[in-house]
Amino acid sequence: MAILDIRRSRELKLVQSPLHSCSSLANFPQRVSRVPSYQGTSTFGRLLKLNRDVPGGSLEGENFKWVYVRQSLTDWTTYTAGLIYMGCGGGLYASSLFLPTILAELGYKTVRAQLLSVPPYAAAALLTIVIGYIGDRTKQRGICAIVVSPLGIIGFIMLLTSNSAGVKYAATFLAAMGIYPCILNTITWVANNTFGQYRRGVTLGVAMGWANLQGVIISNVYRGADAPRFIPGHAVVTGYLALLFGGSVLHYVLLRRKNKTRRVMASDYWAVW
């Protein structure tokens, strides 16, 4: 049954990943055709109020220009964001492929197995809320990503090295808790450090599209022939999570250097005047 699930999941990922990468959203709330116009306008007004005092965050007075696309594609933050989100995407797609096999090893089937697949995701959801709160309060989302992502690496190392179904089930908690908080944290982190709505849209689009394409790879490294340990698949995902951690460190260090350069330039400017 677990092997059949893996095959079906693989086929589903092959269809989902390109579709997600090619999907598009409306530019502004009032342009969404599926909500009443007054609701869209109201939402747009709230967004304007929230973004009015944010540098580079204004939603009005900026028209699309291809130069924004070029600026985004030549900005290093686009590619470090893609590296981070690539690690998130690889781990995200993998978690649903091997968990049914672990539950089958524990002797659970059908409804009970479905129920026991919930706790790892519930723990990850709670930690996502906590990390979101801490990141908003401290404005240190880079530190949050660097601290949380090793949990996923530890979880997948446990999956690689243990034969015990109980240990592997516990490892899924760490794996989920090291991946899911980083997804939303990364989106906010990158968005807050990319100025201009169109540049921000391109940067996030490139990062998310690249992450979604990782489902094609992940669905092919988890093979039924490798059950129940899935060593090749777990090894590949461990590498993905190493990219998540390393990309977070690199992005954080480069942003700090960029901020330091801006402060030096600002102090030189005032010294001249």
Side-chain angles (χ1 to χ4, degrees):
M1 186 69 179
I3 295 176
L4 288 176
D5 288 341
I6 290 172
R7 289 176 180 171
R8 289 171 182 169
S9 297
R10 181 189 304 171
E11 294 169 358
L12 185 60
K13 295 294 188 296
L14 285 171
V15 174
Q16 283 181 330
S17 297
L19 290 177
H20 286 174
S21 299
C22 297
S23 61
S24 61
L25 298 174
N27 293 334
F28 297 100
Q30 80 275 24
R31 296 181 185 174
V32 179
S33 59
R34 297 185 179 180
V35 297
S37 58
Y38 69 86
Q39 184 177 343
T41 304
S42 175
T43 303
F44 185 62
R46 289 196 297 270
L47 287 173
L48 285 177
K49 184 177 180 180
L50 287 171
N51 284 271
R52 189 171 294 122
D53 298 325
V54 179
S58 178
L59 293 172
E60 56 183 348
E62 185 178 0
N63 297 316
F64 174 77
K65 297 178 182 178
W66 282 106
V67 68
Y68 298 141
V69 177
R70 180 181 61 80
Q71 289 173 346
S72 177
L73 295 178
T74 55
D75 188 355
W76 59 264
T77 58
T78 300
Y79 300 99
T80 52
L83 190 66
I84 298 170
Y85 217 69
M86 175 185 178
C88 293
L92 174 67
Y93 281 115
S95 58
S96 61
L97 295 176
F98 58 83
L99 184 55
T101 302
I102 295 174
L103 295 174
E105 284 186 90
L106 290 169
Y108 297 108
K109 298 179 181 179
T110 60
V111 176
R112 180 164 289 189
Q114 292 293 328
L115 289 174
L116 286 174
S117 68
V118 173
Y121 298 111
L126 289 175
L127 184 59
T128 299
I129 295 171
V130 172
I131 291 300
Y133 179 82
I134 294 173
D136 283 341
R137 291 293 180 179
T138 64
K139 310 301 180 186
Q140 294 291 334
R141 293 184 175 86
I143 296 296
C144 290
I146 293 170
V147 170
V148 171
S149 56
L151 293 176
I153 298 175
I154 294 170
F156 273 90
I157 289 176
M158 291 171 62
L159 289 167
L160 273 170
T161 56
S162 177
N163 288 317
S164 169
V167 172
K168 288 191 286 186
Y169 182 63
T172 62
F173 282 81
L174 292 176
M177 292 169 70
I179 296 168
Y180 283 86
C182 291
I183 296 173
L184 296 181
N185 183 72
T186 299
I187 294 173
T188 309
W189 187 21
V190 173
N192 285 350
N193 288 282
T194 308
F195 298 128
Q197 55 169 321
Y198 291 108
R199 285 186 61 186
R200 186 180 301 119
V202 173
T203 296
L204 290 175
V206 169
M208 293 181 184
W210 179 240
N212 282 326
L213 287 173
Q214 304 314 307
V216 177
I217 298 174
I218 295 301
S219 62
N220 284 281
V221 297
Y222 279 92
R223 304 172 301 178
D226 298 322
R229 295 197 62 188
F230 300 110
I231 290 178
H234 292 334
V236 169
V237 176
T238 303
Y240 270 98
L241 296 179
L243 289 177
L244 166 58
F245 174 74
S248 298
V249 173
L250 179 63
H251 195 73
Y252 177 76
V253 170
L254 291 178
L255 282 176
R256 284 185 63 88
R257 182 179 298 178
K258 187 175 182 179
N259 288 336
K260 182 178 180 180
T261 302
R262 285 176 174 173
R263 286 193 293 269
V264 171
M265 291 177 64
S267 63
D268 290 344
Y269 173 81
W270 287 111
V272 171
W273 281 90

